[in-house]
Amino acid sequence: MKQHRLSFELEMVVERAYECIKLTGRLAYDTQLAAEQKLATAVAAVKRRLVVVDVSGLRFLDSTGLALLVRFFKQIVSESRVMAIVVRDNAAIEKILLMAKLDRLLPIVGDEQQLLSLAPPSSFDHISQEALYSAWRQRSS
């Protein structure tokens, strides 16, 4: 019998206006410990004000993974940073995020360009989470 490989990976990419945290694999109960460690390391390493979490590489997301994303969001905001989620063409993960109503906490966009179109790039150095969310809600309505 083939053993199922449990994996969760996180890659940080620094862009001009934001830092992108790319998640791949499974964000779930069975990867919780590794995910918690990697997300905590990411919070400590973030330097830019705008943090974009790219979940397009996730193959699976359960309630434990959702809780980890919410906790990560709270940590980012508590450090006076702002966060948005990018789903790209991962409709399954986008559906889970929307069912969990994460779109009531933070912007969930198709790609970084949608996010960057919400405000001039220079404004991301001082924009609040509330202002970013408000701009996104107005644009998506």
Side-chain angles (χ1 to χ4, degrees):
M1 176 183 263
K2 214 177 207 185
Q3 186 176 5
H4 179 65
R5 185 163 180 239
L6 307 177
S7 67
F8 169 79
E9 296 300 324
L10 181 152
E11 176 189 3
M12 292 185 69
V13 179
V14 178
E15 300 290 348
R16 191 173 69 86
Y18 61 92
E19 285 189 59
C20 184
I21 298 172
K22 297 180 179 189
L23 308 181
T24 56
R26 298 171 52 87
L27 188 53
Y29 178 77
D30 54 7
T31 61
Q32 178 179 4
L33 294 177
E36 283 177 335
Q37 291 174 337
K38 290 175 183 183
L39 289 168
T41 300
V43 168
V46 167
K47 302 292 183 240
R48 299 262 197 288
R49 183 162 175 81
L50 176 59
V51 178
V52 175
V53 178
D54 184 339
V55 297
S56 65
L58 288 178
R59 292 187 324 270
F60 185 80
L61 177 65
D62 70 4
S63 60
T64 301
L66 287 167
L68 288 171
L69 282 176
V70 170
R71 192 172 327 135
F72 183 73
F73 168 72
K74 289 179 177 181
Q75 290 171 326
I76 291 294
V77 172
S78 74
E79 299 210 0
S80 300
R81 301 189 190 291
V82 296
M83 182 175 138
I85 293 179
V86 168
V87 292
R88 299 199 195 287
D89 58 357
N90 194 332
I93 297 298
E94 181 178 19
K95 184 176 181 179
I96 292 167
L97 296 172
L98 296 176
M99 285 178 15
K101 301 191 183 329
L102 260 63
D103 60 323
R104 294 188 182 178
L105 284 178
L106 70 162
I108 298 173
V109 297
D111 59 36
E112 291 88 350
Q113 288 310 114
Q114 288 180 353
L115 182 63
L116 295 175
S117 72
L118 297 176
S122 60
S123 70
F124 288 114
D125 289 337
H126 58 272
I127 196 168
S128 69
Q129 185 69 42
E130 295 79 17
L132 179 65
Y133 180 78
S134 178
W136 172 71
R137 291 306 292 176
Q138 287 176 354
R139 183 73 57 91
S140 63
S141 295

